[in-house]
Amino acid sequence: MSFWNEQKKGTNFMNSKSIPENYTAANKENIEFIRLAPDKWAKDSDFLLNDQPDSNPEKDFLIGNADHYEGIIEKDFAALKADLDAAYERGSKVVLTVLSLPGNRWRQFNNYQNDDRIWQDTSYHEQSAQFWQDLAVRLKDHPAIVGYNLVNEPHPETATGFHDFWTQDYSEWYSQVENTAADLNKLYKTIVEAIRSVDQDTPIIVNSGLYATPWAFEYLKPIKDDNVLYAFHMYEPYEMTSQNRKRGFEYAYPGKVKVGEQKTEQIFNKEALKDFLQPVDKWAKDNNIPANRIIAEEFGINRMVKGADQYLSDLISIFDGFGWHWSFYAFQEDTWEGMDYQLGDQAPKWKYWEALEKGELPNREEIEVDNPLWDALKNGLEK
């Protein structure tokens, strides 16, 4: 846990396969930890890269099949162990997370539909706890691991009629689901107890609800464990950060954005972003949680949005002001270039696509450009 006593700055790896070279590259950029989600490793490259149908729709990395967990898949664990060994050899520290749990297959592997079974049946809580206990037995002494992040972006709200935090009331909603299968705190308690039965020391990281929104901290209960950190993701306003070439670029930062189901227009600038994050700061103070137990675990914006560099700079400044750890999304991802900030704010050079078509890693020296996006992140990392 001492790793987290001082502010740490990291990034996210969610690539289609293990890429040990990226650990070396991250170290050169002063990136202090990697949040690793290996779930894509279970899928064929044609599905991930070429828009082809999933030839293994019921194949889920490590857990075998999200429909029913029966034990860790040995071939998958060997691949994970080799990647973690490579990280350690290169001096990298890793937070391990998963995109899927039993009864909770990742939306992008589930025909873009939410898999809400885990929020409807507590038997999946038990299966998830068994999975993490099995994994902790194997990884508790691995020198690269500095955290188990139990699940990426949990969303019990989607199974129970809560979708829009701009207009709906969290307290009212949670009073209806507390102590049911849709209670995120109940799931965390079950998993944490299972892990601690075999591993007392490895830090555990839990996300807030509704895809890790800061506002869902309102109902998150602190866990009675000194080795727990609490994390959120920041892509708000999503209507702005998720813009792309296909849908067009209507919004710029700073500027006005229509948000929520009611399309309410609001101005977003640094002050507005800080206000949006106030629920996290308030929760931490109310529960005596120090700043070094809070992680801005993912944040980012499509690199082609006008003002994206200022958005990144403002968020980093806010996180640093609170003293929170942070990790941007993403670093040299091979399945999507929208948040590969080293590419600048224009379409990638042809050599980038040529390398991917050949199944090779792009030569960064050939495709990188001088750009304010990467400068904003580098400045934050170098402070």
Side-chain angles (χ1 to χ4, degrees), residues 177-300:
V177 303
E178 189 172 10
N179 295 320
T180 72
D183 186 346
L184 183 60
N185 296 302
K186 181 181 178 70
L187 172 67
Y188 285 157
K189 183 175 185 295
T190 302
I191 298 178
V192 169
E193 287 178 352
I195 291 174
R196 290 300 183 229
S197 70
V198 297
D199 180 353
Q200 295 292 317
D201 300 321
T202 302
I204 291 173
I205 302 166
V206 297
N207 286 182
S208 53
L210 198 60
Y211 303 100
T213 178
W215 289 17
F217 267 74
E218 182 175 337
Y219 74 88
L220 188 64
K221 296 178 181 178
I223 296 171
K224 294 180 180 180
D225 187 308
D226 291 337
N227 292 349
V228 172
L229 298 98
Y230 304 88
F232 65 90
H233 295 182
M234 181 59 180
Y235 296 106
E236 298 298 337
Y238 188 73
E239 292 82 356
M240 179 191 70
T241 64
S242 64
Q243 295 176 106
N244 57 47
R245 280 173 287 179
K246 184 176 181 180
R247 293 200 299 266
F249 294 90
E250 177 182 359
Y251 301 119
Y253 178 85
K256 296 179 179 179
V257 182
K258 293 179 180 178
V259 298
E261 294 182 351
Q262 297 184 5
K263 303 297 182 183
T264 303
E265 189 172 76
Q266 296 190 28
I267 295 176
F268 283 89
N269 50 27
K270 184 176 180 179
E271 182 179 355
L273 295 181
K274 188 173 182 180
D275 286 345
F276 190 91
L277 296 169
Q278 284 299 328
V280 180
D281 183 49
K282 181 180 184 302
W283 179 89
K285 290 175 178 175
D286 288 348
N287 291 285
N288 296 313
I289 304 296
N292 63 6
R293 296 296 180 259
I294 303 292
I295 310 177
E297 196 178 60
E298 285 187 32
F299 68 97

Side-chain angles (χ1 to χ4, degrees), residues 14 68 80 112 219 234 332:
M14 294 192 182
H68 186 72
L80 174 62
Y112 289 90
Y219 74 88
M234 181 59 180
Q332 298 188 4

Side-chain angles (χ1 to χ4, degrees), residues 16-265:
S16 65
K17 58 186 177 182
S18 171
I19 307 178
E21 299 95 323
N22 278 1
Y23 289 114
T24 302
N27 284 336
K28 291 180 180 179
E29 302 294 349
N30 299 309
I31 292 171
E32 297 173 294
F33 72 96
I34 307 299
R35 182 169 175 262
L36 174 69
D39 298 64
K40 294 178 185 176
W41 302 358
K43 302 298 182 180
D44 295 334
S45 60
D46 279 345
F47 169 65
L48 295 171
L49 303 175
N50 300 322
D51 243 1
Q52 297 300 309
D54 186 356
S55 60
N56 296 293
E58 296 181 351
K59 182 180 180 183
D60 300 292
F61 192 73
L62 287 176
I63 60 177
N65 188 325
D67 296 341
H68 186 72
Y69 175 68
E70 296 180 342
I72 288 176
I73 304 303
E74 295 301 332
K75 180 180 178 181
D76 292 351
F77 181 77
L80 174 62
K81 174 68 163 50
D83 186 88
L84 293 174
D85 290 348
Y88 176 65
E89 291 166 1
R90 289 160 173 77
S92 293
K93 296 298 184 182
V94 175
V95 168
L96 178 64
T97 193
V98 291
L99 307 180
S100 298
L101 284 176
N104 183 35
R105 182 173 283 122
W106 189 38
R107 179 184 173 88
Q108 293 186 38
F109 293 168
N110 197 52
N111 295 316
Y112 289 90
Q113 300 293 318
N114 288 335
D115 182 3
D116 290 328
R117 292 172 294 174
I118 196 171
W119 314 120
Q120 298 162 344
D121 184 349
T122 56
S123 70
Y124 289 113
H125 291 210
E126 299 298 334
Q127 291 181 44
S128 298
Q130 186 61 60
F131 161 68
W132 268 110
Q133 184 183 72
D134 293 345
L135 199 55
V137 166
R138 296 166 179 242
L139 293 180
K140 62 181 180 179
D141 296 319
H142 198 287
I145 293 285
V146 291
Y148 303 140
N149 184 194
L150 302 186
V151 62
N152 179 69
E153 297 187 348
H155 45 90
E157 294 88 344
T158 64
T160 50
F162 187 108
H163 302 285
D164 187 8
F165 55 72
W166 294 104
T167 58
Q168 292 179 269
D169 184 87
Y170 263 116
S171 297
E172 179 182 348
W173 169 79
Y174 186 66
S175 68
Q176 299 171 10
V177 303
E178 189 172 10
N179 295 320
T180 72
D183 186 346
L184 183 60
N185 296 302
K186 181 181 178 70
L187 172 67
Y188 285 157
K189 183 175 185 295
T190 302
I191 298 178
V192 169
E193 287 178 352
I195 291 174
R196 290 300 183 229
S197 70
V198 297
D199 180 353
Q200 295 292 317
D201 300 321
T202 302
I204 291 173
I205 302 166
V206 297
N207 286 182
S208 53
L210 198 60
Y211 303 100
T213 178
W215 289 17
F217 267 74
E218 182 175 337
Y219 74 88
L220 188 64
K221 296 178 181 178
I223 296 171
K224 294 180 180 180
D225 187 308
D226 291 337
N227 292 349
V228 172
L229 298 98
Y230 304 88
F232 65 90
H233 295 182
M234 181 59 180
Y235 296 106
E236 298 298 337
Y238 188 73
E239 292 82 356
M240 179 191 70
T241 64
S242 64
Q243 295 176 106
N244 57 47
R245 280 173 287 179
K246 184 176 181 180
R247 293 200 299 266
F249 294 90
E250 177 182 359
Y251 301 119
Y253 178 85
K256 296 179 179 179
V257 182
K258 293 179 180 178
V259 298
E261 294 182 351
Q262 297 184 5
K263 303 297 182 183
T264 303
E265 189 172 76

